[in-house]
PDB file of all heavy atoms in Angstrom:
ATOM      1  N   THR A  26       0.840  -1.206   0.000  1.00 92.00           N
ATOM      2  CA  THR A  26       0.000   0.000   0.000  1.00 92.00           C
ATOM      3  C   THR A  26       0.871   1.249   0.000  1.00 92.00           C
ATOM      4  O   THR A  26       0.563   2.237  -0.679  1.00 92.00           O
ATOM      5  CB  THR A  26      -0.954  -0.001   1.207  1.00 92.00           C
ATOM      6  OG1 THR A  26      -1.734  -1.197   1.192  1.00 92.00           O
ATOM      7  CG2 THR A  26      -1.893   1.196   1.163  1.00 92.00           C
ATOM      8  N   TRP A  27       1.966   1.221   0.735  1.00 95.00           N
ATOM      9  CA  TRP A  27       2.872   2.378   0.778  1.00 95.00           C
ATOM     10  C   TRP A  27       3.443   2.682  -0.608  1.00 95.00           C
ATOM     11  O   TRP A  27       3.481   3.835  -1.034  1.00 95.00           O
ATOM     12  CB  TRP A  27       4.002   2.124   1.770  1.00 95.00           C
ATOM     13  CG  TRP A  27       5.096   3.153   1.721  1.00 95.00           C
ATOM     14  CD1 TRP A  27       6.349   3.001   1.198  1.00 95.00           C
ATOM     15  CD2 TRP A  27       5.022   4.500   2.191  1.00 95.00           C
ATOM     16  NE1 TRP A  27       7.061   4.158   1.315  1.00 95.00           N
ATOM     17  CE2 TRP A  27       6.272   5.108   1.924  1.00 95.00           C
ATOM     18  CE3 TRP A  27       4.037   5.253   2.812  1.00 95.00           C
ATOM     19  CZ2 TRP A  27       6.565   6.425   2.265  1.00 95.00           C
ATOM     20  CZ3 TRP A  27       4.306   6.570   3.155  1.00 95.00           C
ATOM     21  CH2 TRP A  27       5.558   7.145   2.868  1.00 95.00           C
ATOM     22  N   LEU A  28       3.864   1.651  -1.323  1.00 92.00           N
ATOM     23  CA  LEU A  28       4.459   1.875  -2.639  1.00 92.00           C
ATOM     24  C   LEU A  28       3.446   2.463  -3.628  1.00 92.00           C
ATOM     25  O   LEU A  28       3.819   3.180  -4.550  1.00 92.00           O
ATOM     26  CB  LEU A  28       5.035   0.565  -3.188  1.00 92.00           C
ATOM     27  CG  LEU A  28       6.319   0.071  -2.520  1.00 92.00           C
ATOM     28  CD1 LEU A  28       6.690  -1.321  -3.015  1.00 92.00           C
ATOM     29  CD2 LEU A  28       7.471   1.035  -2.767  1.00 92.00           C
ATOM     30  N   ASN A  29       2.178   2.158  -3.423  1.00 91.00           N
ATOM     31  CA  ASN A  29       1.123   2.655  -4.305  1.00 91.00           C
ATOM     32  C   ASN A  29       0.504   3.956  -3.799  1.00 91.00           C
ATOM     33  O   ASN A  29      -0.385   4.510  -4.434  1.00 91.00           O
ATOM     34  CB  ASN A  29       0.025   1.597  -4.462  1.00 91.00           C
ATOM     35  CG  ASN A  29      -0.723   1.718  -5.778  1.00 91.00           C
ATOM     36  OD1 ASN A  29      -0.164   2.143  -6.789  1.00 91.00           O
ATOM     37  ND2 ASN A  29      -1.987   1.350  -5.780  1.00 91.00           N
ATOM     38  N   PHE A  30       0.988   4.457  -2.662  1.00 94.00           N
ATOM     39  CA  PHE A  30       0.405   5.629  -2.008  1.00 94.00           C
ATOM     40  C   PHE A  30       1.052   6.902  -2.552  1.00 94.00           C
ATOM     41  O   PHE A  30       2.269   7.063  -2.520  1.00 94.00           O
ATOM     42  CB  PHE A  30       0.633   5.527  -0.493  1.00 94.00           C
ATOM     43  CG  PHE A  30       0.047   6.648   0.311  1.00 94.00           C
ATOM     44  CD1 PHE A  30      -1.319   6.878   0.324  1.00 94.00           C
ATOM     45  CD2 PHE A  30       0.869   7.469   1.074  1.00 94.00           C
ATOM     46  CE1 PHE A  30      -1.860   7.914   1.080  1.00 94.00           C
ATOM     47  CE2 PHE A  30       0.338   8.499   1.834  1.00 94.00           C
ATOM     48  CZ  PHE A  30      -1.027   8.724   1.839  1.00 94.00           C
ATOM     49  N   LYS A  31       0.239   7.807  -3.054  1.00 94.00           N
ATOM     50  CA  LYS A  31       0.765   9.005  -3.730  1.00 94.00           C
ATOM     51  C   LYS A  31       0.876  10.238  -2.830  1.00 94.00           C
ATOM     52  O   LYS A  31       1.637  11.146  -3.100  1.00 94.00           O
ATOM     53  CB  LYS A  31      -0.149   9.361  -4.924  1.00 94.00           C
ATOM     54  CG  LYS A  31      -0.348   8.232  -5.933  1.00 94.00           C
ATOM     55  CD  LYS A  31       0.954   7.845  -6.629  1.00 94.00           C
ATOM     56  CE  LYS A  31       0.737   6.903  -7.794  1.00 94.00           C
ATOM     57  NZ  LYS A  31       0.253   5.572  -7.412  1.00 94.00           N
ATOM     58  N   ASN A  32       0.086  10.273  -1.756  1.00 96.00           N
ATOM     59  CA  ASN A  32      -0.016  11.485  -0.930  1.00 96.00           C
ATOM     60  C   ASN A  32       0.922  11.420   0.286  1.00 96.00           C
ATOM     61  O   ASN A  32       0.496  11.582   1.425  1.00 96.00           O
ATOM     62  CB  ASN A  32      -1.482  11.649  -0.477  1.00 96.00           C
ATOM     63  CG  ASN A  32      -1.711  12.932   0.301  1.00 96.00           C
ATOM     64  OD1 ASN A  32      -1.080  13.938   0.041  1.00 96.00           O
ATOM     65  ND2 ASN A  32      -2.615  12.879   1.264  1.00 96.00           N
ATOM     66  N   ARG A  33       2.218  11.199   0.043  1.00 97.00           N
ATOM     67  CA  ARG A  33       3.133  10.908   1.163  1.00 97.00           C
ATOM     68  C   ARG A  33       3.488  12.124   2.008  1.00 97.00           C
ATOM     69  O   ARG A  33       3.853  11.980   3.176  1.00 97.00           O
ATOM     70  CB  ARG A  33       4.415  10.266   0.623  1.00 97.00           C
ATOM     71  CG  ARG A  33       4.160   8.908   0.000  1.00 97.00           C
ATOM     72  CD  ARG A  33       5.438   8.262  -0.491  1.00 97.00           C
ATOM     73  NE  ARG A  33       5.186   6.972  -1.116  1.00 97.00           N
ATOM     74  CZ  ARG A  33       6.124   6.197  -1.617  1.00 97.00           C
ATOM     75  NH1 ARG A  33       7.386   6.576  -1.574  1.00 97.00           N
ATOM     76  NH2 ARG A  33       5.801   5.038  -2.183  1.00 97.00           N
ATOM     77  N   GLY A  34       3.406  13.296   1.431  1.00 97.00           N
ATOM     78  CA  GLY A  34       3.780  14.490   2.197  1.00 97.00           C
ATOM     79  C   GLY A  34       5.198  14.377   2.710  1.00 97.00           C
ATOM     80  O   GLY A  34       6.137  14.133   1.944  1.00 97.00           O
ATOM     81  N   ASP A  35       5.369  14.490   4.022  1.00 97.00           N
ATOM     82  CA  ASP A  35       6.701  14.445   4.641  1.00 97.00           C
ATOM     83  C   ASP A  35       7.036  13.054   5.182  1.00 97.00           C
ATOM     84  O   ASP A  35       8.029  12.882   5.879  1.00 97.00           O
ATOM     85  CB  ASP A  35       6.772  15.488   5.768  1.00 97.00           C
ATOM     86  CG  ASP A  35       8.208  15.852   6.122  1.00 97.00           C
ATOM     87  OD1 ASP A  35       9.031  16.018   5.194  1.00 97.00           O
ATOM     88  OD2 ASP A  35       8.515  15.946   7.330  1.00 97.00           O
ATOM     89  N   LEU A  36       6.200  12.072   4.897  1.00 98.00           N
ATOM     90  CA  LEU A  36       6.431  10.730   5.437  1.00 98.00           C
ATOM     91  C   LEU A  36       7.509   9.983   4.660  1.00 98.00           C
ATOM     92  O   LEU A  36       7.655  10.155   3.452  1.00 98.00           O
ATOM     93  CB  LEU A  36       5.143   9.901   5.415  1.00 98.00           C
ATOM     94  CG  LEU A  36       3.953  10.391   6.229  1.00 98.00           C
ATOM     95  CD1 LEU A  36       2.811   9.376   6.151  1.00 98.00           C
ATOM     96  CD2 LEU A  36       4.339  10.645   7.685  1.00 98.00           C
ATOM     97  N   ALA A  37       8.243   9.139   5.375  1.00 98.00           N
ATOM     98  CA  ALA A  37       9.277   8.291   4.764  1.00 98.00           C
ATOM     99  C   ALA A  37       9.351   6.986   5.547  1.00 98.00           C
ATOM    100  O   ALA A  37       8.879   6.904   6.686  1.00 98.00           O
ATOM    101  CB  ALA A  37      10.637   9.003   4.806  1.00 98.00           C
ATOM    102  N   ILE A  38       9.945   5.956   4.937  1.00 98.00           N
ATOM    103  CA  ILE A  38      10.157   4.690   5.654  1.00 98.00           C
ATOM    104  C   ILE A  38      11.239   4.897   6.705  1.00 98.00           C
ATOM    105  O   ILE A  38      12.346   5.354   6.399  1.00 98.00           O
ATOM    106  CB  ILE A  38      10.582   3.571   4.695  1.00 98.00           C
ATOM    107  CG1 ILE A  38       9.489   3.298   3.660  1.00 98.00           C
ATOM    108  CG2 ILE A  38      10.893   2.286   5.474  1.00 98.00           C
ATOM    109  CD1 ILE A  38       9.897   2.306   2.580  1.00 98.00           C
ATOM    110  N   LEU A  39      10.918   4.542   7.950  1.00 98.00           N
ATOM    111  CA  LEU A  39      11.884   4.722   9.040  1.00 98.00           C
ATOM    112  C   LEU A  39      12.350   3.392   9.640  1.00 98.00           C
ATOM    113  O   LEU A  39      13.484   3.288  10.091  1.00 98.00           O
ATOM    114  CB  LEU A  39      11.272   5.602  10.145  1.00 98.00           C
ATOM    115  CG  LEU A  39      10.918   7.031   9.714  1.00 98.00           C
ATOM    116  CD1 LEU A  39      10.238   7.770  10.844  1.00 98.00           C
ATOM    117  CD2 LEU A  39      12.155   7.783   9.249  1.00 98.00           C
ATOM    118  N   VAL A  40      11.458   2.406   9.667  1.00 98.00           N
ATOM    119  CA  VAL A  40      11.838   1.095  10.214  1.00 98.00           C
ATOM    120  C   VAL A  40      11.416   0.011   9.227  1.00 98.00           C
ATOM    121  O   VAL A  40      10.260  -0.060   8.824  1.00 98.00           O
ATOM    122  CB  VAL A  40      11.176   0.830  11.590  1.00 98.00           C
ATOM    123  CG1 VAL A  40      11.567  -0.563  12.105  1.00 98.00           C
ATOM    124  CG2 VAL A  40      11.585   1.892  12.599  1.00 98.00           C
ATOM    125  N   GLU A  41      12.381  -0.828   8.836  1.00 98.00           N
ATOM    126  CA  GLU A  41      12.098  -1.959   7.959  1.00 98.00           C
ATOM    127  C   GLU A  41      13.154  -3.026   8.206  1.00 98.00           C
ATOM    128  O   GLU A  41      14.204  -2.769   8.799  1.00 98.00           O
ATOM    129  CB  GLU A  41      12.127  -1.524   6.487  1.00 98.00           C
ATOM    130  CG  GLU A  41      13.446  -0.961   6.022  1.00 98.00           C
ATOM    131  CD  GLU A  41      13.404  -0.470   4.570  1.00 98.00           C
ATOM    132  OE1 GLU A  41      12.641  -1.026   3.771  1.00 98.00           O
ATOM    133  OE2 GLU A  41      14.163   0.473   4.256  1.00 98.00           O
ATOM    134  N   GLY A  42      12.843  -4.249   7.766  1.00 96.00           N
ATOM    135  CA  GLY A  42      13.840  -5.318   7.830  1.00 96.00           C
ATOM    136  C   GLY A  42      13.820  -6.160   9.088  1.00 96.00           C
ATOM    137  O   GLY A  42      14.556  -7.151   9.169  1.00 96.00           O
ATOM    138  N   ASP A  43      12.975  -5.820  10.069  1.00 97.00           N
ATOM    139  CA  ASP A  43      12.858  -6.648  11.267  1.00 97.00           C
ATOM    140  C   ASP A  43      12.049  -7.895  10.906  1.00 97.00           C
ATOM    141  O   ASP A  43      10.991  -7.799  10.280  1.00 97.00           O
ATOM    142  CB  ASP A  43      12.139  -5.843  12.362  1.00 97.00           C
ATOM    143  CG  ASP A  43      12.161  -6.525  13.722  1.00 97.00           C
ATOM    144  OD1 ASP A  43      12.098  -7.768  13.767  1.00 97.00           O
ATOM    145  OD2 ASP A  43      12.213  -5.813  14.741  1.00 97.00           O
ATOM    146  N   LYS A  44      12.525  -9.078  11.311  1.00 96.00           N
ATOM    147  CA  LYS A  44      11.815 -10.317  10.958  1.00 96.00           C
ATOM    148  C   LYS A  44      10.401 -10.357  11.541  1.00 96.00           C
ATOM    149  O   LYS A  44       9.528 -11.089  11.052  1.00 96.00           O
ATOM    150  CB  LYS A  44      12.613 -11.544  11.402  1.00 96.00           C
ATOM    151  CG  LYS A  44      12.767 -11.688  12.904  1.00 96.00           C
ATOM    152  CD  LYS A  44      13.573 -12.927  13.258  1.00 96.00           C
ATOM    153  CE  LYS A  44      13.688 -13.084  14.780  1.00 96.00           C
ATOM    154  NZ  LYS A  44      14.500 -14.257  15.150  1.00 96.00           N
ATOM    155  N   GLN A  45      10.169  -9.556  12.588  1.00 96.00           N
ATOM    156  CA  GLN A  45       8.823  -9.491  13.169  1.00 96.00           C
ATOM    157  C   GLN A  45       7.814  -8.857  12.210  1.00 96.00           C
ATOM    158  O   GLN A  45       6.603  -8.948  12.417  1.00 96.00           O
ATOM    159  CB  GLN A  45       8.851  -8.666  14.472  1.00 96.00           C
ATOM    160  CG  GLN A  45       9.676  -9.267  15.582  1.00 96.00           C
ATOM    161  CD  GLN A  45       9.084 -10.565  16.122  1.00 96.00           C
ATOM    162  OE1 GLN A  45       7.911 -10.861  15.920  1.00 96.00           O
ATOM    163  NE2 GLN A  45       9.898 -11.353  16.802  1.00 96.00           N
ATOM    164  N   LEU A  46       8.302  -8.188  11.174  1.00 97.00           N
ATOM    165  CA  LEU A  46       7.429  -7.454  10.258  1.00 97.00           C
ATOM    166  C   LEU A  46       7.028  -8.269   9.021  1.00 97.00           C
ATOM    167  O   LEU A  46       6.425  -7.730   8.092  1.00 97.00           O
ATOM    168  CB  LEU A  46       8.111  -6.149   9.835  1.00 97.00           C
ATOM    169  CG  LEU A  46       8.354  -5.163  10.988  1.00 97.00           C
ATOM    170  CD1 LEU A  46       9.161  -3.966  10.507  1.00 97.00           C
ATOM    171  CD2 LEU A  46       7.043  -4.705  11.599  1.00 97.00           C
ATOM    172  N   PHE A  47       7.340  -9.558   9.025  1.00 96.00           N
ATOM    173  CA  PHE A  47       6.950 -10.459   7.938  1.00 96.00           C
ATOM    174  C   PHE A  47       5.423 -10.502   7.836  1.00 96.00           C
ATOM    175  O   PHE A  47       4.720 -10.556   8.850  1.00 96.00           O
ATOM    176  CB  PHE A  47       7.510 -11.855   8.232  1.00 96.00           C
ATOM    177  CG  PHE A  47       7.167 -12.908   7.212  1.00 96.00           C
ATOM    178  CD1 PHE A  47       7.868 -13.002   6.027  1.00 96.00           C
ATOM    179  CD2 PHE A  47       6.151 -13.822   7.458  1.00 96.00           C
ATOM    180  CE1 PHE A  47       7.576 -13.995   5.095  1.00 96.00           C
ATOM    181  CE2 PHE A  47       5.847 -14.817   6.537  1.00 96.00           C
ATOM    182  CZ  PHE A  47       6.561 -14.893   5.347  1.00 96.00           C
ATOM    183  N   ASN A  48       4.883 -10.505   6.622  1.00 94.00           N
ATOM    184  CA  ASN A  48       3.436 -10.397   6.404  1.00 94.00           C
ATOM    185  C   ASN A  48       2.975 -11.430   5.376  1.00 94.00           C
ATOM    186  O   ASN A  48       3.140 -11.241   4.177  1.00 94.00           O
ATOM    187  CB  ASN A  48       3.106  -8.970   5.921  1.00 94.00           C
ATOM    188  CG  ASN A  48       1.625  -8.748   5.698  1.00 94.00           C
ATOM    189  OD1 ASN A  48       0.785  -9.375   6.331  1.00 94.00           O
ATOM    190  ND2 ASN A  48       1.314  -7.834   4.801  1.00 94.00           N
ATOM    191  N   GLN A  49       2.394 -12.529   5.874  1.00 95.00           N
ATOM    192  CA  GLN A  49       1.974 -13.648   5.029  1.00 95.00           C
ATOM    193  C   GLN A  49       0.500 -13.539   4.640  1.00 95.00           C
ATOM    194  O   GLN A  49      -0.342 -13.213   5.468  1.00 95.00           O
ATOM    195  CB  GLN A  49       2.195 -14.970   5.771  1.00 95.00           C
ATOM    196  CG  GLN A  49       1.726 -16.212   5.021  1.00 95.00           C
ATOM    197  CD  GLN A  49       2.605 -16.529   3.819  1.00 95.00           C
ATOM    198  OE1 GLN A  49       3.834 -16.537   3.918  1.00 95.00           O
ATOM    199  NE2 GLN A  49       1.978 -16.785   2.674  1.00 95.00           N
ATOM    200  N   TYR A  50       0.194 -13.827   3.372  1.00 96.00           N
ATOM    201  CA  TYR A  50      -1.189 -13.844   2.879  1.00 96.00           C
ATOM    202  C   TYR A  50      -1.609 -15.278   2.573  1.00 96.00           C
ATOM    203  O   TYR A  50      -0.803 -16.080   2.092  1.00 96.00           O
ATOM    204  CB  TYR A  50      -1.319 -13.018   1.599  1.00 96.00           C
ATOM    205  CG  TYR A  50      -1.217 -11.527   1.810  1.00 96.00           C
ATOM    206  CD1 TYR A  50       0.017 -10.909   1.952  1.00 96.00           C
ATOM    207  CD2 TYR A  50      -2.367 -10.742   1.879  1.00 96.00           C
ATOM    208  CE1 TYR A  50       0.117  -9.537   2.141  1.00 96.00           C
ATOM    209  CE2 TYR A  50      -2.278  -9.359   2.065  1.00 96.00           C
ATOM    210  CZ  TYR A  50      -1.034  -8.774   2.199  1.00 96.00           C
ATOM    211  OH  TYR A  50      -0.949  -7.418   2.401  1.00 96.00           O
ATOM    212  N   GLY A  51      -2.888 -15.572   2.831  1.00 97.00           N
ATOM    213  CA  GLY A  51      -3.418 -16.895   2.536  1.00 97.00           C
ATOM    214  C   GLY A  51      -4.769 -16.818   1.852  1.00 97.00           C
ATOM    215  O   GLY A  51      -5.454 -15.791   1.897  1.00 97.00           O
ATOM    216  N   VAL A  52      -5.158 -17.935   1.208  1.00 98.00           N
ATOM    217  CA  VAL A  52      -6.455 -18.024   0.537  1.00 98.00           C
ATOM    218  C   VAL A  52      -7.229 -19.192   1.135  1.00 98.00           C
ATOM    219  O   VAL A  52      -6.656 -20.245   1.432  1.00 98.00           O
ATOM    220  CB  VAL A  52      -6.284 -18.174  -0.999  1.00 98.00           C
ATOM    221  CG1 VAL A  52      -5.609 -19.477  -1.373  1.00 98.00           C
ATOM    222  CG2 VAL A  52      -7.608 -18.028  -1.722  1.00 98.00           C
ATOM    223  N   ILE A  53      -8.542 -18.985   1.362  1.00 98.00           N
ATOM    224  CA  ILE A  53      -9.389 -20.014   1.975  1.00 98.00           C
ATOM    225  C   ILE A  53     -10.719 -20.068   1.236  1.00 98.00           C
ATOM    226  O   ILE A  53     -11.403 -19.042   1.096  1.00 98.00           O
ATOM    227  CB  ILE A  53      -9.674 -19.720   3.468  1.00 98.00           C
ATOM    228  CG1 ILE A  53      -8.385 -19.530   4.268  1.00 98.00           C
ATOM    229  CG2 ILE A  53     -10.521 -20.835   4.081  1.00 98.00           C
ATOM    230  CD1 ILE A  53      -8.608 -19.018   5.688  1.00 98.00           C
ATOM    231  N   VAL A  54     -11.110 -21.256   0.810  1.00 98.00           N
ATOM    232  CA  VAL A  54     -12.424 -21.473   0.204  1.00 98.00           C
ATOM    233  C   VAL A  54     -13.441 -21.701   1.323  1.00 98.00           C
ATOM    234  O   VAL A  54     -13.206 -22.498   2.238  1.00 98.00           O
ATOM    235  CB  VAL A  54     -12.395 -22.701  -0.749  1.00 98.00           C
ATOM    236  CG1 VAL A  54     -13.801 -23.006  -1.274  1.00 98.00           C
ATOM    237  CG2 VAL A  54     -11.417 -22.450  -1.895  1.00 98.00           C
ATOM    238  N   VAL A  55     -14.572 -20.999   1.260  1.00 98.00           N
ATOM    239  CA  VAL A  55     -15.614 -21.148   2.275  1.00 98.00           C
ATOM    240  C   VAL A  55     -16.251 -22.538   2.159  1.00 98.00           C
ATOM    241  O   VAL A  55     -16.496 -23.044   1.061  1.00 98.00           O
ATOM    242  CB  VAL A  55     -16.676 -20.035   2.125  1.00 98.00           C
ATOM    243  CG1 VAL A  55     -17.878 -20.292   3.032  1.00 98.00           C
ATOM    244  CG2 VAL A  55     -16.046 -18.677   2.433  1.00 98.00           C
ATOM    245  N   ASN A  56     -16.501 -23.140   3.305  1.00 98.00           N
ATOM    246  CA  ASN A  56     -17.010 -24.510   3.376  1.00 98.00           C
ATOM    247  C   ASN A  56     -18.506 -24.554   3.045  1.00 98.00           C
ATOM    248  O   ASN A  56     -19.318 -23.986   3.782  1.00 98.00           O
ATOM    249  CB  ASN A  56     -16.777 -25.062   4.782  1.00 98.00           C
ATOM    250  CG  ASN A  56     -17.084 -26.538   4.893  1.00 98.00           C
ATOM    251  OD1 ASN A  56     -17.603 -27.150   3.964  1.00 98.00           O
ATOM    252  ND2 ASN A  56     -16.772 -27.116   6.043  1.00 98.00           N
TER     253      ASN A  56
END
């Protein structure tokens, strides 16, 4: 979302690369 976000103003990436920040996506078919 950040990479696609155009209205950044004065914001910048300050913290990245911590393994705690891993973000996994999954898909599930409803039963």
Side-chain angles (χ1 to χ4, degrees):
T26 304
W27 171 254
L28 287 172
N29 207 31
F30 182 62
K31 304 296 190 293
N32 184 33
R33 295 182 181 181
D35 200 42
L36 298 184
I38 298 174
L39 297 176
V40 178
E41 60 183 330
D43 189 325
K44 65 180 182 182
Q45 296 293 342
L46 296 174
F47 179 80
N48 181 28
Q49 177 71 47
Y50 288 80
V52 65
I53 305 171
V54 174
V55 171
N56 189 353

